[in-house]
Amino acid sequence: MNREIKERTKWFMDARFGMFIHWGLYSIPACGEWVMSQKEMTIEEYRKYFEQFDPVDYDPKTWVRLAKEAGMKYVVLTAKHHDGFCLFDSKLTDYKATNTKAGLDLVREFVDACREEGLKVGLYFSIIDWHHPDFPKYGDRQHPMRNNAAYKDEKIDFDRYLDYMHGQVKELVTNYGKLDLLWFDFSYDDMTGEKWKATDLIKMVRHYQPDVIIDNRLEGAGDNHGSIATEHPLIYSGDFASPEQIIPPKGVCDVNGEPIPWELCATMNNHWGYCNFDHQYKTPEMLVRKLVECVSKGGNMILNVGPDAKGNIPRESVEILREVGKWMSKNKESIYGCGISNFEKPDWGRYTQKDNVIYAHVYETPLGALPLYGISPEQLAEITYLADGSEVKRGEAWNTALYKDVAFVSFGEDPVFTYPLPDERDTVLKIQLKN
Ligand code: GLC
């Protein structure tokens, strides 16, 4: 991995856990952010949501505080999604929050809230735009007018679109102070790399924001990493890979097998944008374990919320994130700054590691003593429960005698007996190895 990427992503790799926020006009039809494309709506049809948009409860501080309570270290908001509607006060369009009933630069309020609460600030920006007259329509893979023959012979000036898109990115990187992260979305087919004039775009962004971390979707998407995983990442390769709704089986490595930064982006239910009939939420236990899985494979997890039309994060998301936060408040040390362990994945859970400390994430109640696979009794300095700092009892007994090279622990007095795990979501043992 190139040195610059390594330097830049240091805080990001330590942070491990972030919040994604998908919010825009699509919170009104409430069936996800692709509704305009899925229903093949014209700009005029979709415009009713612009007229209606009135997020009376918008208070980004409550969003950011929730992220913080969940143990998240950074927050990324959709400054503009594919529908082209800007939450920010772009001078290049009228299609923006300031011209709705909201009457506010919603991005400004958001970045202020993040900084006030001490979280890193990120903005998502769609390089696709279904509202701009010079974006390809008929025959495009996903444009709402892809099947509308009226656009068949339409002449567009794609360069004019690129000027607009670059201009908006410039607004974002110059008007909102220091940004920690930029999340471009996304490339497809031949709409990739230089088609977006990505070299110029990146040079401009880096000129104003030399340290900002950028995703890989000026070139890639959820279905390909782009050149970041190759021997020679291009200038617009981005700083991290962005697997979507999947945890890569073995993390993400470059061609030489060296781990590179990556971030799983995942929804809490099955939609990014607010969906009022999708109650298929992942449980706090599952989310804790998926976060641990990402960390154990050297990656981050950015978990999405989709606030409703009034600006409220759905009740289910709030409750689940608070539960995740309870676990994080006791066990964050096993997440922040941690990564891939030298030891193989144990069958009862996972290991994460930071230097000489192994964190054993135990999911499954052992029958009798728990073998700490890969760790011999001689290597052990001390073991404590991360949640309360108390000592974990050693588990060697007459019936472990056959397995002398493995250290054992017990969750109760007598290692021959079985005891329930103190935290059935994930009981974390902090294992200090001898130097
Ligand atoms: C996708 C979708 C999008 C979402 C994004 C998040 O590529 O187009 O709606 O914002 O993934 O990763």
Side-chain angles (χ1 to χ4, degrees):
M1 182 194 350
N2 96 27
R3 258 232 336 271
E4 269 174 49
I5 295 182
K6 205 168 199 159
E7 288 288 301
R8 247 195 319 260
T9 52
K10 177 114 196 19
W11 72 259
F12 180 71
M13 302 285 280
D14 281 351
R16 290 305 188 203
F17 192 23
M19 176 184 270
F20 221 158
I21 305 177
H22 276 68
W23 194 50
L25 301 181
Y26 42 79
S27 60
I28 301 173
C31 49
E33 74 291 354
W34 273 69
V35 56
M36 186 181 179
S37 166
Q38 282 157 350
K39 303 216 164 128
E40 302 188 24
M41 294 170 88
T42 62
I43 286 175
E44 295 69 40
E45 283 165 338
Y46 197 74
R47 175 126 192 139
K48 63 172 178 274
Y49 303 126
F50 179 82
E51 306 299 341
Q52 242 174 290
F53 191 62
D54 188 14
V56 285
D57 294 338
Y58 180 58
D59 177 12
K61 266 189 227 137
T62 57
W63 296 356
V64 175
R65 284 193 190 125
L66 177 65
K68 205 166 159 178
E69 194 181 333
M72 294 156 157
K73 294 280 201 185
Y74 59 103
V75 191
V76 178
L77 170 68
T78 49
K80 180 177 97 169
H81 209 272
H82 309 332
D83 64 4
F85 174 71
C86 299
L87 297 188
F88 65 108
D89 187 11
S90 172
K91 297 291 175 270
L92 304 173
T93 182
D94 294 332
Y95 200 48
K96 55 183 175 181
T98 31
N99 292 338
T100 65
K101 291 182 186 128
L104 272 180
D105 183 330
L106 301 167
V107 167
R108 168 91 50 217
E109 309 263 312
F110 165 77
V111 298
D112 289 349
C114 290
R115 291 185 186 125
E116 234 167 87
E117 294 296 323
L119 294 195
K120 300 272 188 195
V121 187
L123 295 177
Y124 167 111
F125 180 83
S126 173
I127 53 182
I128 297 167
D129 192 319
W130 299 329
H131 186 264
H132 197 279
D134 291 301
F135 197 86
K137 301 174 195 68
Y138 186 80
D140 177 71
R141 194 190 320 168
Q142 55 245 335
H143 196 285
M145 296 299 103
R146 60 191 171 279
N147 297 316
N148 187 337
Y151 291 95
K152 203 164 181 178
D153 299 313
E154 189 203 28
K155 294 271 164 294
I156 57 162
D157 182 350
F158 193 62
D159 281 338
R160 201 155 53 193
Y161 170 67
L162 291 180
D163 286 346
Y164 173 78
M165 190 262 270
H166 285 217
Q168 288 199 320
V169 173
K170 184 167 175 186
E171 292 181 319
L172 290 176
V173 297
T174 54
N175 293 341
Y176 297 90
K178 184 177 188 297
L179 298 178
D180 300 298
L181 203 149
L182 268 180
W183 222 103
F184 291 116
D185 195 33
F186 63 78
S187 295
Y188 56 102
D189 306 335
D190 67 333
M191 303 288 275
T192 177
E194 286 311 347
K195 184 86 186 208
W196 308 115
K197 296 206 172 132
T199 299
D200 290 351
L201 187 66
I202 288 292
K203 282 187 177 156
M204 184 269 290
V205 168
R206 291 257 170 257
H207 174 73
Y208 294 109
Q209 303 269 353
D211 300 325
V212 70
I213 296 179
I214 305 175
D215 74 337
N216 65 338
R217 294 194 176 185
L218 283 177
E219 203 188 5
D223 59 0
N224 79 94
H225 297 317
S227 66
I228 188 177
T230 67
E231 198 107 35
H232 303 289
L234 298 170
I235 180 173
Y236 48 79
S237 72
D239 299 312
F240 66 91
S242 55
E244 181 170 332
Q245 308 282 40
I246 185 167
I247 302 178
K250 296 195 180 305
V252 185
C253 292
D254 63 16
V255 281
N256 299 318
E258 201 200 328
I260 58 172
W262 59 272
E263 177 197 64
L264 159 73
C265 52
T267 51
M268 292 185 73
N269 52 2
N270 287 317
H271 286 83
W272 299 98
Y274 181 64
C275 180
N276 56 10
F277 54 85
D278 178 0
H279 302 288
Q280 206 78 270
Y281 281 87
K282 297 163 184 80
T283 62
E285 173 181 285
M286 178 173 181
L287 292 169
V288 163
R289 292 181 182 191
K290 296 308 161 196
L291 172 61
V292 170
E293 181 175 347
C294 289
V295 175
S296 77
K297 293 177 175 178
N300 287 17
M301 177 164 93
I302 186 165
L303 192 56
N304 182 72
V305 295
D308 65 20
K310 291 186 171 181
N312 296 303
I313 294 178
R315 182 186 43 81
E316 290 105 320
S317 296
V318 173
E319 285 167 7
I320 294 164
L321 287 176
R322 291 211 168 116
E323 287 301 315
V324 171
K326 282 186 199 156
W327 182 88
M328 277 296 280
S329 70
K330 304 268 185 212
N331 296 292
K332 52 186 180 283
E333 189 190 309
S334 67
I335 300 292
Y336 303 147
C338 291
I340 303 169
S341 165
N342 302 333
F343 302 107
E344 224 174 276
K345 179 193 174 315
D347 56 10
W348 39 253
R350 293 189 179 273
Y351 289 133
T352 57
Q353 183 165 353
K354 182 162 44 194
D355 306 321
N356 229 11
V357 180
I358 314 291
Y359 299 94
H361 299 260
V362 188
Y363 304 155
E364 197 182 319
T365 309
L367 193 143
L370 179 90
L372 298 176
Y373 299 111
I375 304 172
S376 68
E378 296 73 44
Q379 276 174 288
L380 274 183
E382 59 190 39
I383 318 180
T384 51
Y385 289 103
L386 185 56
D388 66 4
S390 64
E391 197 172 70
V392 176
K393 295 182 176 52
R394 292 296 292 272
E396 287 80 7
W398 62 266
N399 63 355
T400 65
L402 283 168
Y403 318 102
K404 289 219 181 326
D405 54 338
V406 187
F408 285 82
V409 294
S410 170
F411 292 102
E413 265 306 306
D414 186 340
V416 174
F417 295 141
T418 298
Y419 305 90
L421 293 173
D423 185 342
E424 70 284 352
R425 291 174 179 175
D426 174 4
T427 296
V428 187
L429 313 180
K430 177 176 178 178
I431 305 170
Q432 181 76 53
L433 298 182
K434 285 185 186 145
N435 284 317

